[in-house]
Amino acid sequence: MRRIVTRKKGGLEVLKIEEVRDLLPTSGEVRIAVKAAGINFADVMIRMGSYPNPPVYPCTVGYEVSGIIDKVSSDVDSSWLGKEVVAITKFNGQAEQVNVPIDQVYEKPPNMSFEQGAAFLVNYITAYQILIAMGGLQSNESVLIHNVGGGVGLAALEIAKHIGAKTFGTASGHKHAFLTKQGLDHAIDYTKQNWKEEVMKLTGGRGLDFVMDPIGGKNLKLSFLSLSSTGRVALFGLSSAAVPGIRGKFEKLKMLIQTPVFHAIQLLVSNKGIFGVNTSRLWHEKKKINHWVEALVNGQKEGWINPYVDRIFTFDQIAEAHQYIESRKNIGKVVLVP
Ligand SMILES: NC(=O)c1ccc[n+]([C@@H]2O[C@H](COP(=O)([O-])OP(=O)(O)OC[C@H]3O[C@@H](n4cnc5c(N)ncnc54)[C@H](OP(=O)(O)O)[C@@H]3O)[C@@H](O)[C@H]2O)c1
């Protein structure tokens, strides 16, 4: 079988295709013949060497797949054989085959394509954890979704719209027409406008009830400052450090220095909250995640969840796929097919 390998940290040239032996599932696992694999911003950061706690290089990355179960271990119910599924994988997803523990596998909703299936779990679980499970976003509240045109951003927009909240989002200008069509109330081009000033103007100086921040560093400070009383910020990424090469090291250091430190008493007197989300460190909370996935699958059946796939690249085009995301062209999810 073929798999994509990130040989070491570096530029696009470190991405290779490798032919290896077919896999055999071990205890508690099934083998999935992959039809589509999600590509996430984290994969680009792992390649650049700017991801905290990356896997050991050379590695096959990929946190999510859709496909068909073609082998089960002896202790897994054989009725899973032949089922169309979506699954969360702790790396190794960007391959023709992947072994996954059965409790990370879900039946693919019948009216969801394989490509959409690979655009579903990571983005929507992250957005659900932030907005609903931890953030408690309410219908009478406002939310700013940074980089709302990305995979997590669009998932969050759908959930926030379903809740009935007023939505603000930052994104590159060429994404605004699409985002407005998706129901975003206020699109802000952070590459040209001072987003915080714009938010303050749009909210009549009051500020926001909620900010989703995947950028970190100085941006996190501004996100916190743009909150109204009872507002909260979720930090769920550090993309300000996602720069390749030597400059990347400098940007990482700058991000760390500029990241604000919050004192509990400062939060107490200001009626504000800040919390972090890292779904890749939540493997021990499978029951909780299963509950969220159930709610999300119901949302898909009801029609308010509809994973948006922007571009599909073949495994051989992996460098182009990275380049596409790195140059901020993607609107929604980028998916790989074998
Ligand atoms: N904590 C978690 O559990 C978790 C889970 C999933 C994702 N994340 C984080 O959420 C963020 C979005 O992930 P995603 O997979 O949804 O991303 P994505 O679909 O690949 O979207 C990336 C978008 O982010 C914007 N961007 C911001 N900084 C960038 C940079 N330095 N280089 C390139 N693009 C940049 C660009 O859009 P515009 O410039 O147009 O806004 C780009 O199109 C990332 O920071 C990721 O690490 C965290």
Side-chain angles (χ1 to χ4, degrees):
M1 69 108 174
R2 293 159 78 237
R3 65 181 183 197
I4 299 170
V5 177
T6 306
R7 299 205 56 77
K8 54 184 181 180
K9 62 181 170 188
L12 299 172
E13 72 288 347
V14 304
L15 298 165
K16 300 278 182 228
I17 304 284
E18 235 178 44
E19 184 86 39
V20 291
R21 261 201 224 150
D22 281 358
L23 304 178
L24 281 178
T26 59
S27 177
E29 289 181 338
V30 297
R31 184 177 81 183
I32 299 173
V34 173
K35 294 282 184 194
I39 174 163
N40 291 290
F41 197 74
D43 307 337
V44 176
M45 290 183 78
I46 288 170
R47 195 207 78 227
M48 288 177 177
S50 48
Y51 190 74
N53 302 316
V56 177
Y57 305 92
C59 55
T60 294
V61 298
Y63 287 104
E64 58 193 325
V65 298
S66 64
I68 298 173
I69 295 183
D70 68 352
K71 255 193 191 330
V72 300
S73 68
S74 56
D75 54 354
V76 171
D77 183 350
S78 59
S79 67
W80 277 98
L81 271 172
K83 283 216 159 100
E84 297 189 351
V85 293
V86 293
I88 314 173
T89 58
K90 193 168 186 181
F91 305 118
N92 296 317
Q94 292 170 10
E96 285 176 343
Q97 297 174 347
V98 61
N99 285 339
V100 189
I102 190 63
D103 56 1
Q104 288 165 215
V105 177
Y106 308 90
E107 283 197 49
K108 181 175 75 60
N111 58 344
M112 188 185 267
S113 67
F114 282 113
E115 288 80 9
Q116 279 186 309
F120 179 47
L121 290 173
V122 171
N123 290 341
Y124 283 89
I125 288 173
T126 306
Y128 191 96
Q129 183 184 346
I130 293 170
L131 291 178
I132 296 182
M134 291 181 77
L137 182 68
Q138 305 291 308
S139 61
N140 62 344
E141 290 190 316
S142 56
V143 56
L144 171 67
I145 305 165
H146 281 298
N147 304 133
V148 63
V152 176
L154 280 188
L157 179 59
E158 283 185 354
I159 293 173
K161 296 302 297 177
H162 180 68
I163 290 170
K166 187 171 266 310
T167 53
F168 298 71
T170 64
S172 307
H174 69 99
K175 301 178 183 176
H176 286 203
F178 174 86
L179 291 165
T180 306
K181 237 166 68 193
Q182 293 295 109
L184 181 68
D185 296 312
H186 299 286
I188 301 167
D189 184 352
Y190 73 109
T191 65
K192 297 208 174 87
Q193 294 165 287
N194 177 323
W195 67 259
K196 183 174 167 283
E197 275 177 17
E198 206 54 33
V199 155
M200 285 305 178
K201 236 189 277 165
L202 289 166
T203 58
R206 180 182 176 273
L208 298 153
D209 295 299
F210 205 119
V211 182
M212 285 181 59
D213 192 327
I215 300 164
K218 191 172 152 205
N219 201 74
L220 179 63
K221 186 174 176 187
L222 296 174
S223 292
F224 187 77
L225 289 174
S226 68
L227 290 180
S228 59
S229 297
T230 77
R232 50 267 182 225
V233 175
L235 177 68
F236 67 105
L238 301 169
S239 62
S240 53
V243 176
I246 303 282
R247 223 192 98 215
K249 284 191 179 156
F250 170 73
E251 291 299 332
K252 202 166 170 179
L253 188 65
K254 193 167 118 193
M255 179 273 291
L256 287 172
I257 292 168
Q258 290 184 335
T259 296
V261 176
F262 296 94
H263 197 289
I265 295 174
Q266 176 193 6
L267 301 176
L268 181 152
V269 296
S270 62
N271 279 298
K272 290 180 187 174
I274 171 147
F275 62 94
V277 163
N278 187 341
T279 49
S280 69
R281 290 184 169 225
L282 218 56
W283 301 95
H284 54 291
E285 291 285 5
K286 284 182 181 151
K287 270 195 186 151
K288 221 168 232 184
I289 293 176
N290 288 347
H291 179 70
W292 302 343
V293 173
E294 205 178 299
L296 290 165
V297 168
N298 284 337
Q300 194 268 346
K301 283 184 189 146
E302 288 160 17
W304 54 271
I305 280 180
N306 193 16
Y308 182 78
V309 176
D310 175 20
R311 282 282 300 270
I312 300 168
F313 292 91
T314 62
F315 280 9
D316 295 310
Q317 295 172 311
I318 181 65
E320 282 171 60
H322 272 234
Q323 175 67 45
Y324 189 67
I325 293 175
E326 218 176 307
S327 54
R328 304 176 189 232
K329 288 192 181 132
N330 67 301
I331 302 183
K333 190 75 172 185
V334 176
V335 164
L336 301 165
V337 292

